[in-house]
Amino acid sequence: MATPDIHEIPAGPHASEVPELAQPARPAAAALNAPFFVEVLASKDEVKHRHQVNALPIRIGRGYDNDFILDDPHTAAHHAIVEQGEDGSLHIRDLGSHNGIVHRGKRLPLISINGNTVVRLGHTNLRVRAADFQVSDELADTTIHSWEGWPPALSGLAIMALLSLLSTWLSDVSKYETIRYLMAAAYVLSGGLIWSGIWAFANRLFGGHARFGRHLFIAGCGMAAMEAWSLFSATAAYALSLEFLSRYGSHVVIAITAAMVYFHLSIINPRHPRRIAMTAIILGLIGSGLMLMMNYQRYGQAADELYMSQILPPSIRLSADQPVDQFINDAKSLKEKVDADRSKAVGHDDQDADAAE
């Protein structure tokens, strides 16, 4: 007797009573914690403003019947909708707009989003976060809040004034005149105030507060560092015969200026120290490169000057004197080089004159 196939349903009066095969149950969608927050972002993912929506779906567009209204002429009246998908996650769906939804440079009709997903609608970057989004730990507050207003401002002005008086006194070789010192102080203070005012305006524009005193203090410290380097490089170059200190000293001044830019930008926006440091380094490298090209165009060499231009009292000189024979040989070599350069220049001029005729 043949064994019936196990897949067959036996016939008979009770065949209709055989239950249908059960379908696998669809998993329930995970519940998202309301309310939701739609955040409009700046170019560096910084929140410009956020809007709370109490429930899904979230309709987004320029029309006043939306849950989140965009003030962007490059978005449609009903541009997109944020809703919960079958898997429980959030989705943003294009509602047939002309410019669509762009994520990572690609236009997509439907995008699965989380709290860190940034999408662009028209010219507006935004993201959606639920109430249970985990934020990062708080940052340690290292700001000296008492160093605001008049204390840093007066300190910066005092540094600039003393710096101008010291510099004028060191370079003064004529009869003492008060007006000369007052004019030097006025020039230095005016330059420091203008420099600091520009940064304070930028701080007010992008940071919300001017903080003029802090920027003035940074300017004073930067000027003091430049003057200290000028005195040190001139003295060390003369005393130890280290000519490169004076011949390439402008690059240190550029580095000090880049450091000043770093501290100014850190006052405006302290959230991205690495980006600010890289910006300052790049600006310093660009400045040094331009200085090298200018020197080569002006002098035919990369150094700032052809020879050590500042001579100090012989009593501070520590390096040994050169023998007379070595000095004469060096002078002969220099003369030969100059004569060769002059001959080349004359030859080029003659060729140009012949070509003109």
Side-chain angles (χ1 to χ4, degrees):
M1 181 176 180
T3 304
D5 191 351
I6 59 175
H7 296 289
E8 296 179 357
I9 299 175
H14 302 289
S16 59
E17 299 177 4
V18 176
E20 296 182 357
L21 295 177
Q23 298 293 330
R26 177 176 296 174
L32 296 172
N33 291 340
F36 301 90
F37 298 89
V38 183
E39 299 177 337
V40 176
L41 309 177
S43 57
K44 296 181 180 179
D45 293 348
E46 296 178 358
V47 179
K48 296 172 63 176
H49 65 268
R50 59 173 55 90
H51 177 73
Q52 178 177 329
V53 181
N54 293 323
L56 296 174
I58 304 172
R59 297 171 179 82
I60 302 174
R62 280 190 300 118
Y64 284 90
D65 56 346
N66 290 289
D67 300 301
F68 183 76
I69 301 173
L70 291 174
D71 188 16
D72 183 350
H74 299 89
T75 57
H78 302 93
H79 197 105
I81 185 170
V82 178
E83 54 195 358
Q84 188 174 12
E86 295 181 354
D87 57 352
S89 63
L90 285 179
H91 297 272
I92 183 169
R93 178 165 53 88
D94 185 13
L95 295 179
S97 63
H98 179 73
N99 293 319
I101 304 173
V102 179
H103 176 56
R104 295 181 178 178
K106 296 181 179 180
R107 177 173 176 172
L108 301 171
L110 179 68
I111 303 172
S112 178
I113 61 175
N114 55 42
N116 294 318
T117 304
V118 178
V119 296
R120 178 170 59 82
L121 280 62
H123 288 184
T124 304
N125 295 319
L126 57 82
R127 67 187 176 204
V128 180
R129 288 180 171 177
D132 57 351
F133 181 83
Q134 296 295 320
V135 299
S136 59
D137 296 334
E138 64 177 322
L139 299 176
D141 188 2
T142 58
T143 303
I144 305 176
H145 295 279
S146 59
W147 192 245
E148 294 281 0
W150 285 109
L154 294 177
S155 300
L157 291 174
I159 292 173
M160 293 179 190
L162 293 175
L163 179 65
S164 64
L165 296 176
L166 176 62
S167 178
T168 305
W169 178 72
L170 290 175
S171 60
D172 193 3
V173 294
S174 58
K175 184 180 178 180
Y176 171 79
E177 294 181 359
T178 304
I179 188 62
R180 187 161 52 249
Y181 288 83
L182 293 178
M183 290 298 295
Y187 287 139
V188 173
L189 291 175
S190 299
L193 289 171
I194 293 173
W195 172 272
S196 304
I198 294 173
W199 286 105
F201 177 77
N203 207 142
R204 179 66 178 177
L205 189 62
F206 299 104
H209 304 280
R211 294 187 171 177
F212 180 73
R214 289 194 178 192
H215 291 292
L216 197 59
F217 180 74
I218 293 172
C221 292
M223 291 182 179
M226 292 179 187
E227 183 65 22
W229 165 251
S230 177
L231 295 175
F232 168 77
S233 61
T235 304
Y238 178 77
L240 303 175
S241 295
L242 302 176
E243 295 185 12
F244 70 91
L245 292 178
S246 62
R247 299 183 70 185
Y248 295 94
S250 62
H251 299 281
V252 178
V253 175
I254 292 173
I256 294 173
T257 305
M260 293 171 61
V261 171
Y262 168 79
F263 287 111
H264 283 303
L265 292 176
S266 297
I267 295 297
I268 296 175
N269 186 359
R271 299 180 183 177
H272 306 289
R274 292 185 180 179
R275 295 181 185 177
I276 295 174
M278 288 300 301
T279 301
I281 291 173
I282 292 173
L283 290 176
L285 293 176
I286 293 174
S288 293
L290 291 175
M291 180 61 67
L292 291 173
M293 290 188 291
M294 290 173 59
N295 290 339
Y296 189 80
Q297 183 180 14
R298 185 184 304 174
Y299 305 120
Q301 62 180 19
D304 300 332
E305 53 188 15
L306 299 175
Y307 52 86
M308 189 185 302
S309 60
Q310 191 167 0
I311 305 300
L312 300 176
S315 58
I316 67 172
R317 187 166 176 81
L318 302 177
S319 62
D321 295 333
Q322 280 189 338
V324 177
D325 294 339
Q326 182 180 352
F327 175 79
I328 293 175
N329 292 332
D330 292 343
K332 288 181 180 179
S333 300
L334 179 61
K335 182 178 181 300
E336 293 174 358
K337 183 177 182 302
V338 171
D339 291 340
D341 292 341
R342 185 184 297 113
S343 299
K344 291 180 180 179
V346 172
H348 289 313
D349 292 340
D350 293 340
Q351 292 178 3
D352 293 339
D354 293 339
E357 292 177 358

